Structure formats: C-alpha cells, structure tokens
Amino acid sequence: MNTQRRDLGKHPVRRALSSGVAAAVLLLAGCSDGDGRAGEEDKAASDTTCDGKIEGTAHITMWFHAGQSGEQTTLKSQVKEFNRSQRQVRVELVTLPEQRPYTELVLSAAASGDLPDLLDFDGPNLYSYAWSGTLKPIDSCVPAEIRKDLLQSIREQGTYDERLWGVGTFDSGLGLYVRPSVLKEAGVRVPEGVDDAWTADELTEILRKLRTEGYEAPLDLNFTDSKLADEWNTYAFAPAVWSAGGDLIDPEEFRTADGFLNSPESVGALTTMQRWVEEGYVDRDPEEDKSAFVKGRTPISWMGHWKYGEFSEAHPGDVAIVPLPDFGTGTVTGMGSWQWGIPSGGADGDAVWRFLEYLLQPEQVARMSEANGAIPATEGAVKLSPLYDEDGAERLFIEQLRSGAARPRPQTPAYPAVTVAFSHAVADIVFSGAPVEKTLDEAVEAIDQDLAAHDGYPKSGP
C-alpha cells in the first residue's frame, strides 16, 4: 500500500513540485492526434507487448519505490542474482531521490517521456496509467500457468478494461489486531474468521467494556492528522463504507460518486467511526509515534500486515488477527499493493518479462514476502510459508483475499481524484468532527468535477 502524502497545497516540498503536477495533468489528458483520439498506429503497436523473442543482449532499467529497507535489500540481491544467472538480459535498478514523492516522479517522467523499462507503482494507480497510455498491456507476456498461480486478487488488481496491465509479487492484508488475553479477561469473544466478525455496534460495546477495564482509549486507528490526509485513509477505511453498503463511486460504470459516497449507508458508517473518536475510544497521541498497541495503551489496532512482526514481538503469544467489523452487509477488507508494469516505449517487452518471470518464481516471491511481511502473490509461494497454514498466525489475510471479503479500491482512471477526495473527507469527518453529510457532498462534487473534466474517462482512452 502506498502512503505517500497527497495534499500538495499544505507542504512546501509539494508546492515546489507544482510543475511536475501540471505535467501530470497533461499526461492524464492523454496524447492524442488532431481529432482527440489516440493514434491508431500507437494503439496497434501496443496490442502485443511480448512475441517470445529477445534479440541480442537486452539492457533494461527499472524503478522501485523507497519502501521498507528489507524490500530494497532483497530486490537489489534479486537483480544481482538474476544478472549472474544468464547473459541475455541485463537489469539496472535505478535509485531515485527520496526527497521527491515517488508517484509525482512517475507522473512527471511519464509526461516528459523519461520512464524506465520496468516500473513499480502503487496498484490503484494502474487504471489511470493504463487509460492514459503510460503502460503497455502484458496479456501477451504472462503464460497461462503463471497467471493461474497468481492470487485472484493480484489478477483483479492488475486488470483494466478486460486486459492485464500489471502484476505484483505480494498483496496486502488488513484487519484488527487484538490481544486475546485482554479480551478474554473482559469477557469479550474473539472472532474466528471472516464469517464471525464483530458487528460495528458490537465493537462499540466492546470499546465501552474495555474502558471499564482500564483502557481509556482502547482502539488504535493509526491516527492521521487531518492536515495531511493520505492513502492510508482510503485503503483502511473505504472497507467500512463498503461493509455498510455504500461506495466511493458508482461501482459499475464509474460515472458519478453522487448517491454512492454520500449515500445513507456511507454516512452511517463514517458517523459511527466519528462517534468512536468523539467518545474518546480512539487513541490520538501522535507523540507516541503511533505505538499505542505496542506499548499496551490499546488492545485493538485497525492495521495492516506490515505490523504483524512488530506487534507479535511486543506481545509474544498474545496477538491475534480478526476481521474488520461488519457495518451491515458483512465484513469487508482492503487489498492491493505495489505492482510491476511495462511503460509504453522502452525496451523489448520480452526482456522485461524475463526478469518479472524470475521475480514470480515461488522461492523469490516468498523471499520478498519474508522481507516485507506482505502476503505472497502466488499460491505456490503461499504454500512455502507456515504463516498461512490452517493454524497460521496470518491465515485470515489469505482467507480474505481468496474469499472475496477483500475488495480492490475503485478500478477507474479517476482513482487519483477519488482517493484525494475520500481521504480528506475521512480525515475531516472521523478525526476532526466535520459534518458528515456536508463533507461527503463536497467530496462527491470534487470527484464528479474530475469525471466531467475527462468526459467520464471513456474506455477508448483519452
């Protein structure tokens, strides 16, 4: 999951990058010929990315986001080992300046034609990249046996307009981390799986009960300052809206957010979460470096897979992962993480795929997942980790991805506008107490303005 800050107007570094953002707007408007349609020759050339042939020795460059140190160390080793294992494809991992937000670097490079041959990007951004012509489809590259081994969630995340544009080596997990010893002492049941989630009302009562047990603010929501709304708010809290029966945008046609993001169901879900904060059940001490669960202030944390190691180390033998609460239509959780794609132009697609195929070997997928704590992207790699066995500590994460309880963020080129509007709305409503209906109406207006500016993002492209 990408947690890059998206609020350009309130941060000096982002103001300095306004020229890059302007270039990104031009990119999303698309490169078209005189009649406003993408050139037919360009379309035809992009249809087949791989033909099974590599001429001579191919040199490819790749970009990777500044993620966890374990991710970078592992990928550097994988590149070196791949290069040593054969001579036909040489891979160069390019280190990017960390002072510039990664997504903004990608958009600026796309607008100026300076993208690498292999690009790493946060999964939900795939749809805008594919629509604008930034990426090539990779259907022709991925063999049927590899596609079949990919988790359904990975295939779903990488698909736009019935074509495959991206593939990841890991997925994400989201749920509630709990301290079973604390819950049992308070007489609270511990859910056993997807079909056994607490309801939102039940969680409210549990929080009240835990307060009487001495936990003043028993719930950790990974508090986000309302001035710096980010991708965490969409990834983590869109599931509450979905679970209630609402949505961020029309899920069928993606033509409007009106009647979906501001629906009674969406209003109800965010009102419930707002009340948790207003009643003081949510830990809000930013000075503690978001360590409420680790330090024992909260026995429940709404958090992702990347915290399992830290949490279990802090409370050995006393950490369980249970589903997010059911707000009315069943528990729903987040999914999706970083993916690889092949930018338009650049090196031979077959050469790029040769390296991606190496990264998707079960042993390599498992290696990366061990380094970053994420969910392995292939069934073959899942079998290599005891964490996902029947009694494995992170079994819930893989069950959610397989069962359909996990949902991708809106699969539309409008996603950048959707996530900015929603993440700000969540920050204002949940953490700052803004009027729920009015704030969601404003978010709807912002999303619908973006849709209108791009003619609804027609599937034919810009």
Side-chain angles (χ1 to χ4, degrees):
M1 181 201 64
N2 178 19
T3 56
Q4 297 287 356
R5 302 295 188 186
R6 293 181 179 271
D7 189 339
L8 301 178
K10 300 177 180 178
H11 195 289
V13 173
R14 284 152 184 79
R15 288 197 297 270
L17 289 173
S18 60
S19 61
V21 175
V25 172
L26 291 176
L27 166 67
L28 290 179
C31 299
S32 59
D33 47 24
D35 62 0
R37 296 173 298 161
E40 295 301 322
E41 291 183 3
D42 291 340
K43 285 184 178 180
S46 68
D47 282 345
T48 302
T49 302
C50 294
D51 61 9
K53 301 175 183 178
I54 302 176
E55 301 293 339
T57 299
H59 295 263
I60 66 173
T61 58
M62 61 182 292
W63 286 5
F64 186 68
H65 70 284
Q68 303 175 35
S69 60
E71 288 180 344
Q72 295 192 47
T73 300
T74 299
L75 186 61
K76 287 178 181 178
S77 295
Q78 289 173 320
V79 169
K80 289 180 181 178
E81 292 166 16
F82 173 78
N83 284 338
R84 285 199 302 261
S85 71
Q86 46 76 57
R87 301 191 177 198
Q88 197 169 22
V89 179
R90 316 308 295 168
V91 180
E92 177 188 2
L93 176 58
V94 178
T95 302
L96 301 175
E98 294 187 14
Q99 64 267 30
R100 293 191 64 178
Y102 181 81
T103 298
E104 290 175 15
L105 274 171
V106 170
L107 292 173
S108 182
S112 60
D114 294 324
L115 285 172
D117 304 308
L118 177 59
L119 181 66
D120 168 58
F121 52 84
D122 198 16
N125 291 328
L126 177 146
Y127 317 113
S128 63
Y129 294 165
W131 180 83
S132 65
T134 301
L135 296 177
K136 296 179 183 179
I138 59 173
D139 308 79
S140 58
C141 302
V142 187
E145 62 271 19
I146 291 181
R147 194 178 302 205
K148 183 178 179 181
D149 193 41
L150 292 171
L151 297 182
Q152 172 61 29
S153 60
I154 293 291
R155 296 195 299 271
E156 186 174 7
Q157 181 79 86
T159 299
Y160 172 70
D161 197 16
E162 300 183 353
R163 302 202 68 177
L164 189 67
W165 300 83
V167 64
T169 60
F170 52 87
D171 208 327
S172 63
L174 177 68
L176 296 177
Y177 287 86
V178 302
R179 300 271 307 281
S181 65
V182 174
L183 297 184
K184 290 177 181 177
E185 186 172 343
V188 174
R189 72 180 184 89
V190 179
E192 297 181 358
V194 171
D195 298 326
D196 192 35
W198 293 322
T199 65
D201 288 342
E202 188 177 3
L203 177 55
T204 301
E205 292 303 315
I206 290 169
L207 297 176
R208 289 174 181 157
K209 182 174 291 188
L210 289 172
R211 175 172 285 175
T212 66
E213 296 290 321
Y215 293 92
E216 184 173 345
L219 177 61
D220 172 27
L221 289 179
N222 191 28
F223 169 68
T224 299
D225 189 316
S226 62
K227 295 180 181 179
L228 292 172
D230 61 21
E231 186 65 19
W232 165 252
N233 284 354
T234 304
Y235 172 75
F237 305 126
V241 169
W242 293 328
S243 175
D247 218 313
L248 311 192
I249 190 172
D250 168 15
E252 299 296 331
E253 300 295 332
F254 302 111
R255 293 292 183 180
T256 182
D258 193 25
F260 299 90
L261 180 52
N262 56 356
S263 68
E265 293 82 5
S266 299
V267 169
L270 294 182
T271 298
T272 295
M273 299 188 74
Q274 183 185 70
R275 287 173 181 163
W276 291 341
V277 173
E278 289 178 344
E279 294 178 18
Y281 295 132
V282 176
D283 185 271
R284 298 192 60 168
D285 190 350
E287 301 303 320
E288 293 293 333
D289 298 322
K290 300 181 180 179
S291 57
F293 190 87
V294 168
K295 295 191 175 182
R297 295 200 311 275
T298 67
I300 304 176
S301 180
W302 190 305
M303 185 53 69
H305 66 264
W306 53 91
K307 285 294 188 178
Y308 171 73
E310 180 183 358
F311 285 0
S312 59
E313 182 178 350
H315 306 288
D318 192 26
V319 173
I321 306 169
V322 303
L324 295 180
D326 174 1
F327 284 80
T329 68
T331 183
V332 180
T333 189
M335 58 168 266
S337 192
W338 293 81
Q339 292 210 330
W340 293 105
I342 301 179
S344 300
D348 179 6
D350 290 281
V352 179
W353 172 250
R354 180 75 61 84
F355 178 60
L356 282 178
E357 188 174 31
Y358 170 79
L359 294 183
L360 286 169
Q361 293 176 2
E363 296 79 9
Q364 299 303 327
V365 171
R367 183 179 175 186
M368 179 58 78
S369 294
E370 288 170 6
N372 65 8
I375 318 307
T378 67
E379 295 290 353
V382 168
K383 294 175 183 177
L384 298 178
S385 175
L387 288 171
Y388 310 104
D389 289 346
E390 192 64 36
D391 297 320
E394 296 188 65
R395 176 71 180 183
L396 177 70
F397 289 151
I398 196 68
E399 285 184 347
Q400 290 180 153
L401 292 172
R402 287 172 173 166
S403 69
R407 281 183 56 173
R409 282 157 278 179
Q411 295 177 284
T412 167
Y415 183 75
V418 172
T419 188
V420 167
F422 182 73
S423 65
H424 277 280
V426 167
D428 292 340
I429 291 168
V430 176
F431 298 113
S432 297
V436 182
E437 293 186 40
K438 178 177 181 292
T439 304
L440 289 180
D441 284 340
E442 291 171 350
V444 164
E445 183 178 358
I447 294 169
D448 281 7
Q449 284 178 352
D450 178 81
L451 289 165
H454 295 89
D455 297 323
Y457 293 94
K459 286 292 182 71
S460 58

